Amino acid sequence: MTETPRANSIDQLAINTIRTLSMDAVEAAQSGHPGTPMALAPVIYTLWQQALRYDPGNVAWPDRDRFVLSAGHASMLLYSVLHLAGVKDSQGRPAITLDDIRHFRQVGSPCAGHPEYRHAAGIETTTGPLGQGCGNSVGMAIAARFLGQRYNRPEFTAFDYDVYALCSDGDMMEGVSSEAASIAGHLRLGNLCWMYDNNSISIEGSTSLAFSEDVGARFRAYGWHVEHLRDANDCDAIATALQRFRQDRSAPWLIVIDSHIAYGAPHKHDSASAHGEPLGESEVKLAKRFYGWPEDAKFLVPEGAREGFDAKLGERGRRLSADWNRGLNKYRQIYPDLARELDQMQAGEIPAGWDESLPEFPADAKGMATREASGKILNAIAPHYPWLLGGSGDLAPSTKTLIANGGDFEREQSGRNLHFGVREHGMGAITNGIALCHLRPYCATFLIFSDYMRPSIRLAAMMGLPVIYIFTHDSIGLGEDGPTHQPVEQLVGLRAIPGLVTIRPCDANEVREAWRFAIGSKRPTAFSFSRQTLPVLDRKLYAPASGLSRGAYVLADSANGAPDVILIGTGSEIALCLAAREMLASGRIRARVVSMPSWELFEEQDESYRDEVLPPGIRARVSVEAASPVGWDRYVGPDGARIAMNSFGASGPYQDVYRHFHFTVDHIVDTAKEQLARNKGG
């Protein structure tokens, strides 16, 4: 029989269970971060037991408090608590079993090295890249404010949840958390609490090697309320601070908590080695001895540990979520339309009739910029999609992303127009947090600055969040601002992200179809829109823009017989391809123009359709895109030509810049003829 651990209370028993499960899991995997769970077990235990409004049996409860482990390397903290709290998925199955913990960091286990959204119930977001969870938590707090403003009524408070994030020294160092914290302080998000593990240890050693600022003073300057607790083991002090936070809605809170990494391990206590590697079997035994734990017991969950969670967290959560559901039933009777919206939102559905006002753009040789068309389409959708909201990195007038009559999201109001300031990385992390609360966010900036938010875009794709990215000024066509602002490698970089759909429309009607796809998608979508005006194509002469849904389509074909050459383009270069087609036709050369706004959507089509658009037998091909040539060989073949950017751009009027880099009708025609000559008889 296994010896029962000594503990002076059921609370201490549960805390030490979290610690020992974490040590054992890392030791079994021979990989992971044991030190932080050992230090912060009292913190997470007190938060969940004393403060969190959370029902382990109903983790989809919309008004639950959110817990974000931004210090994702301490993932065993979260897995241990999800197990001990008895969190269950929608089918009533345990979210994390003891066997899952035994297989920590192994393929197939929901206990991945860092928490991954959708891998197990109770994991609110994917964390690990430091600072991202902090940003997500700000988005969740913004969502709570927006939801409460729209749906709360005197008879029923639908949304009043708090958001807690557990942060590390690394989180505090990353710029994304600073951007997000600045926004949270500006907005006075009083439903947000960050708990900062001030253990002064990083992988290289003491944080004093690179980090000496007064974090509390910095956050006070942001407009946060700051508390400093001197001992992570003082559960009473932690509980008191959390209670005070819940009573104060004037500002976000930062609770700085001094801790000792690998607490209880005599040789690894306060050491850098405890941050990112197993303790070793002998050190684990010594730590267990310190905790009064059976030294040879592994993955021990003693009687009382689970029961203690159920008696406090479980009982409180069941009562609160049941009360909420009873209130919602009455709400349905009084406010059936709002209740219907809530049901659709939580189910990830889109409102019926959202597209009934989408404009059809008449043919126009002078045309409009695709960013301009996007703004018109956004404002046609917004009145029919009440939980669509977003903003830009201080560029709304340029990106055309303001919702007319949508109101601003500020301290005293919770409108639909968010103002992120020049904080693209924070914006990306925040919109992920908003999407995790079932709202539908978009965010916008110039395409060149997508680099600043790439880690957040990658995580949105990893989590399958339907965030809409509106990137404008998408090529050398932005002109005078020059190469610092002219994107070249950004499109191929976005196309390389698995799960992200990138779309570069050629005219206003393709923009409409791009929005139609994005609204209906469960994946993130990145739009690439022009600054300069583009002709609105006459769809009586050319194929309908609905072909965009298949990624690529034959926009204009040869008049008589099979084409001799295929011109493939995207965005602003399609007009050049169409003009080149006419010039080639005058020389009795049959050319097909393929509009390929989305590689990802085209690759999802069956082989027969792809071969119909790009017949394998036609090897004379030219791609035309004012961006990096990387990847176009997939579509033009090894012998095809790629008219693309092989350098950075230049400053000048965009027409001159296009000519300088040979994006002209004459150059396309000459290149097509060279292709024909090379492939003659092929």
Side-chain angles (χ1 to χ4, degrees):
M1 177 177 285
T2 303
E3 179 185 348
T4 301
R6 301 187 309 277
N8 56 19
S9 70
I10 197 69
D11 296 326
Q12 194 62 50
L13 185 75
I15 289 167
N16 288 340
T17 303
I18 295 169
R19 286 169 164 153
T20 55
L21 285 176
S22 299
M23 290 190 299
D24 288 342
V26 171
E27 202 65 30
Q30 282 298 289
S31 174
H33 303 258
T36 300
M38 295 165 70
L40 295 188
V43 176
I44 194 170
Y45 175 79
T46 303
L47 171 64
W48 281 64
Q49 279 287 64
Q50 300 295 335
L52 216 62
R53 297 167 61 255
Y54 188 90
D55 182 358
N58 182 17
V59 296
W61 171 29
D63 197 35
R64 70 190 180 280
D65 287 346
R66 269 64 169 181
F67 172 72
V68 175
L69 183 65
S70 194
H73 54 275
S75 56
M76 273 308 306
L77 264 179
L78 180 57
Y79 302 146
S80 298
V81 168
L82 294 179
H83 174 70
L84 295 176
V87 172
K88 294 180 172 56
D89 66 16
S90 60
Q91 305 301 312
R93 297 170 299 205
I96 300 292
T97 66
L98 200 55
D99 196 53
D100 293 331
I101 291 175
R102 289 190 181 99
H103 290 86
F104 175 57
R105 288 185 165 229
Q106 306 305 304
V107 174
S109 172
C111 298
H114 297 83
E116 295 191 37
Y117 179 62
R118 301 187 200 273
H119 278 214
I123 300 175
E124 299 283 4
T125 183
T126 296
T127 58
L130 291 172
Q132 290 291 331
C134 293
N136 296 165
S137 72
V138 174
M140 293 173 182
I142 286 173
R145 277 256 305 263
F146 178 86
L147 290 164
Q149 176 89 10
R150 179 164 182 82
Y151 296 106
N152 289 355
R153 292 296 183 270
E155 299 87 351
F156 178 58
T157 300
F159 294 97
D160 188 31
Y161 63 80
D162 292 324
V163 182
Y164 300 89
L166 194 54
C167 317
S168 66
D169 288 306
D171 286 297
M172 295 296 107
M173 296 182 203
E174 286 286 359
V176 61
S177 65
S178 299
E179 293 182 21
S182 178
I183 293 174
H186 169 76
L187 294 174
R188 298 289 189 264
L189 295 177
N191 57 345
L192 177 65
C193 178
W194 289 3
M195 307 176 76
Y196 164 37
D197 172 28
N198 183 37
N199 67 31
S200 301
I201 295 293
S202 63
I203 290 175
E204 293 184 358
S206 170
T207 55
S208 63
L209 291 168
F211 191 57
S212 55
E213 69 200 45
D214 185 334
V215 173
R218 173 158 62 95
F219 274 73
R220 289 187 187 95
Y222 289 148
W224 289 54
H225 177 88
V226 178
E227 296 268 322
H228 196 154
L229 306 182
R230 300 294 179 181
D231 184 3
N233 289 299
D234 190 342
C235 295
D236 290 338
I238 296 167
T240 299
L242 291 170
Q243 183 179 15
R244 292 183 59 220
F245 157 69
R246 294 172 62 197
Q247 294 169 348
D248 177 15
R249 285 294 189 253
S250 63
W253 272 49
L254 177 72
I255 304 177
V256 181
I257 305 174
D258 295 345
S259 76
H260 295 282
I261 197 167
Y263 175 80
H267 304 106
K268 296 296 184 78
H269 178 94
D270 284 342
S271 72
S273 62
H275 177 78
E277 61 187 53
L279 297 177
E281 186 175 350
S282 61
E283 190 75 1
V284 167
K285 289 184 176 182
L286 291 172
K288 288 179 178 178
R289 181 186 300 172
F290 177 83
Y291 301 144
W293 210 257
E295 296 177 23
D296 294 321
K298 295 182 179 180
F299 300 102
L300 172 62
V301 179
E303 185 178 351
R306 296 187 185 98
E307 292 80 1
F309 267 101
D310 186 66
K312 283 190 177 180
L313 172 73
E315 189 283 327
R316 181 175 66 246
R318 285 188 292 271
R319 172 173 47 81
L320 291 172
S321 69
D323 290 346
W324 190 89
N325 283 320
R326 282 191 291 271
L328 179 63
N329 289 333
K330 295 178 181 178
Y331 184 84
R332 291 185 189 282
Q333 299 171 13
I334 305 170
Y335 305 105
D337 292 341
L338 290 177
R340 190 177 307 112
E341 280 186 18
L342 285 175
D343 290 341
Q344 289 182 312
M345 183 196 309
Q346 294 300 315
E349 300 172 356
I350 54 179
W354 70 270
D355 57 350
E356 64 185 33
S357 300
L358 289 181
E360 293 276 347
F361 295 93
D364 182 355
K366 293 183 178 179
M368 67 174 65
T370 50
R371 62 172 175 148
E372 189 79 36
S374 173
K376 294 179 183 295
I377 293 162
L378 170 63
N379 275 283
I381 296 170
H384 307 287
Y385 202 159
W387 55 97
L388 174 70
L389 73 163
S392 78
D394 194 41
L395 289 171
S398 295
T399 56
K400 310 300 180 185
T401 46
L402 283 177
I403 295 176
N405 303 314
D408 293 324
F409 193 102
E410 275 296 332
R411 293 178 187 177
E412 304 302 327
Q413 60 179 340
S414 300
R416 300 171 70 180
N417 291 304
L418 300 169
H419 299 277
F420 293 101
V422 188
R423 304 182 184 97
E424 291 89 356
H425 200 178
M427 175 174 70
I430 288 168
T431 48
N432 284 352
I434 293 171
L436 286 160
C437 297
H438 300 288
L439 295 172
R440 194 68 190 277
Y442 63 85
C443 60
T445 187
F446 294 170
L447 179 58
I448 191 71
F449 301 131
S450 64
D451 285 348
Y452 282 163
M453 53 192 297
R454 184 178 177 85
S456 300
I457 299 172
R458 184 175 187 270
L459 285 172
M462 193 178 295
M463 290 188 276
L465 301 179
V467 179
I468 298 172
Y469 301 101
I470 302 171
F471 296 130
T472 67
H473 297 60
D474 73 343
S475 73
I476 57 172
L478 70 86
E480 290 84 353
D481 277 346
T484 60
H485 282 54
Q486 293 168 352
V488 172
E489 71 278 18
Q490 282 67 32
L491 271 175
V492 70
L494 292 171
R495 288 166 175 160
I497 297 176
L500 176 69
V501 175
T502 303
I503 306 178
R504 189 172 187 242
C506 74
D507 77 343
N509 286 306
E510 275 199 359
V511 174
R512 181 193 62 243
E513 297 307 311
W515 270 100
R516 191 189 303 277
F517 167 81
I519 292 295
S521 177
K522 303 290 187 183
R523 296 176 285 179
T525 304
F527 294 145
S528 176
F529 293 144
S530 72
R531 174 183 185 261
Q532 74 273 31
T533 59
L534 306 180
V536 179
L537 303 181
D538 186 347
R539 295 294 171 164
K540 294 178 183 177
L541 301 177
Y542 303 115
S546 57
L548 176 141
S549 66
R550 306 191 78 172
Y553 63 104
V554 179
L555 178 63
D557 214 350
S558 52
N560 300 299
D564 300 311
V565 63
I566 301 174
L567 308 178
I568 313 167
T570 75
S572 46
E573 289 69 71
I574 281 291
L576 298 175
C577 292
L578 290 172
R581 170 180 171 270
E582 296 299 320
M583 189 177 291
L584 289 165
S586 68
R588 299 183 183 277
I589 296 174
R590 299 187 299 269
R592 167 180 290 184
V593 174
V594 171
S595 177
M596 187 177 282
S598 176
W599 291 6
E600 298 86 1
L601 295 181
F602 186 60
E603 290 298 319
E604 291 174 1
Q605 308 307 308
D606 59 38
E607 184 178 6
S608 63
Y609 178 78
R610 297 197 306 271
D611 288 349
E612 179 185 330
V613 174
L614 300 174
I618 302 174
R619 298 176 62 187
R621 301 181 185 186
V622 181
S623 67
V624 188
E625 185 176 65
S628 169
V630 173
W632 276 108
D633 53 329
R634 180 188 306 177
Y635 301 113
V636 299
D639 300 321
R642 299 172 292 177
I643 299 176
M645 290 295 296
N646 292 288
S647 69
F648 295 117
S651 179
Y654 80 86
Q655 299 93 334
D656 295 342
V657 175
Y658 262 73
R659 283 191 291 270
H660 178 75
F661 288 103
H662 307 296
F663 287 92
T664 65
V665 173
D666 288 342
H667 183 56
I668 295 172
V669 169
D670 291 344
T671 305
K673 289 178 178 178
E674 291 171 3
Q675 277 289 294
L676 283 171
R678 177 178 297 178
N679 288 279
K680 180 178 284 188

